[in-house]
Amino acid sequence: MASSAEKVAASATPASPIAINGASKAPSSAKKPYPFWLGGVAATIAASITHPLDLTKVRLQASGDKRMVDSIRKTVRTAGVRGLFDGISGTWMRQMSYSMCRFWAYDESKKILGAGKDAPAWKLAAAGSMAGGIAGFVGNPGEIVMVRLQGDFAKPPEQRFNYKHCFDALFRMVKEEGVSSLARGVGPNVFRAVLMNASQLASYDFFKAELLKTKYFEDNIACHFTASFAAGTVATTVCSPADVLKSRIMNASGPGSNSTLAVIRQSMAKEGPMFMFKGWVPAWSRLQPTTILIFLTLEQLKNLVDLSRNSGFTLL
């Protein structure tokens, strides 16, 4: 009888979800990667919530507005509360191109570099830089559309683009300025994307891993919040110079005004070197909650995927 019981136990063990070293189907299910679009969805949700702050940051960087609160008041006074969501379609286009690509590329880059759970910071930063380079190039058209839609209302009426929505902006850019207009500011944008992903994604993974090594944190919302808060502050500081340049170049409309060196010279002459950190407070105020919302949402979406797979729902 003992022999029969052992055989029954042996045959039942692989079917158990706990015995990951049993049948080949169990580990393959557990190791199945998450949907590549998950990061894009998380970023879109987060960016929709924080859009008014992002709008204010862009207008501070690209216009003559001096203070965040004054800029918000000006927007509400001239366009109403609805004006705080100007260009929201451009934000969605940008997130579902740039952000979706960067999260996918980051995961793939970590696999290539062998950056596992406890990988050193330099490997995570290298994977983030690779992902940023790819996503910055792929998402450049969406980035231009977002910046122009957000910054349009801050301009004098005669200088506005007056795009109806993100697709109208994309089609008119190609029609009126040529296909090459989609690459405007691609250099600073890619550079900024490299900095953003090397600082934001990599630092989140690094801080999360370090927090989990302590006795005070578990893999839960408290850990995710703390790691994302630290990552948001690091990313804001690292990315500020490239972010300012990107916004000013993409908003330029005159001949030769989109030159990176020309923008730097003009800005340095008028405002001094600290122009590179203009809008840091609204940038931090926008990026901090955005970073927190992105990673909290992403972690919960992953939990939802895990739950659905454990329930036998295989579409995710």
Side-chain angles (χ1 to χ4, degrees):
M1 292 296 293
S3 175
S4 300
E6 290 174 357
K7 290 180 180 179
V8 172
S11 62
T13 299
S16 172
I18 299 176
I20 59 173
N21 293 322
S24 59
K25 291 183 180 180
S28 64
S29 176
K31 294 180 181 179
K32 184 178 179 182
Y34 292 104
F36 73 94
W37 43 263
L38 221 56
V41 172
T44 300
I45 294 172
S48 298
I49 296 172
T50 60
H51 182 78
L53 293 175
D54 194 29
L55 181 73
T56 302
K57 181 209 70 171
V58 170
R59 290 180 175 176
L60 276 172
Q61 292 175 344
S63 70
D65 295 342
K66 301 296 182 182
R67 298 178 182 177
M68 180 175 64
V69 175
D70 291 341
S71 183
I72 292 175
R73 287 176 178 171
K74 178 182 176 182
T75 299
V76 174
R77 185 174 65 253
T78 55
V81 176
R82 187 177 179 181
L84 294 174
F85 291 90
D86 281 347
I88 188 71
S89 64
T91 296
W92 293 338
M93 173 178 280
R94 188 250 189 181
Q95 299 302 335
M96 290 307 293
S97 55
Y98 164 73
S99 289
M100 184 168 63
C101 181
R102 74 184 179 118
F103 277 99
W104 166 81
Y106 181 59
D107 287 338
E108 294 302 314
S109 298
K110 285 196 293 184
K111 293 176 185 177
I112 294 173
L113 297 175
K117 185 177 180 181
D118 296 318
W122 71 266
K123 272 194 176 184
L124 296 174
S129 298
M130 291 168 63
I134 296 170
F137 179 79
V138 172
N140 197 70
E143 192 84 26
I144 299 174
V145 168
M146 181 191 73
V147 170
R148 287 192 174 189
L149 284 172
Q150 290 180 352
D152 210 30
F153 199 77
K155 296 180 177 181
E158 66 276 7
Q159 296 180 14
R160 295 175 187 171
F161 295 107
N162 293 318
Y163 298 135
K164 297 177 182 177
H165 45 69
C166 61
F167 296 109
D168 179 52
L170 202 63
F171 296 148
R172 280 183 53 191
M173 280 177 61
V174 173
K175 181 179 179 181
E176 298 170 7
E177 304 174 48
V179 177
S180 62
S181 65
L182 299 179
R184 168 172 271 195
V186 68
N189 191 41
V190 169
F191 179 58
R192 187 251 186 193
V194 169
L195 294 177
M196 172 60 73
N197 287 277
S199 57
Q200 187 191 56
L201 298 185
S203 62
Y204 174 77
D205 277 351
F206 175 77
F207 288 127
K208 179 182 175 182
E210 292 300 309
L211 290 172
L212 290 175
K213 292 177 183 178
T214 70
K215 63 179 180 180
Y216 304 106
F217 288 93
E218 297 179 357
D219 193 0
N220 54 25
I221 290 180
C223 176
H224 305 156
F225 177 89
T226 305
S228 58
F229 185 92
T233 302
V234 171
T236 302
T237 305
V238 171
C239 296
S240 183
D243 207 18
V244 172
L245 286 175
K246 178 205 69 173
S247 293
R248 294 191 177 192
I249 291 171
M250 289 182 174
N251 260 303
S253 57
S257 60
N258 63 327
S259 165
T260 302
L261 290 177
V263 170
I264 292 175
R265 289 195 193 101
Q266 292 171 9
S267 299
M268 286 283 286
K270 293 179 180 179
E271 305 167 63
M274 288 306 293
F275 87 90
M276 292 185 291
F277 294 94
K278 185 176 183 181
W280 188 94
V281 172
W284 182 86
S285 301
R286 189 274 309 178
L287 187 59
Q288 192 66 278
T290 299
T291 301
I292 293 171
L293 285 170
I294 285 175
F295 288 113
L296 289 184
T297 304
L298 182 59
E299 296 283 4
Q300 294 307 308
L301 288 175
K302 287 181 177 180
N303 289 339
L304 183 62
V305 171
D306 290 337
L307 179 63
S308 68
R309 288 174 177 174
N310 291 336
S311 302
F313 187 70
T314 56
L315 290 179
L316 297 175

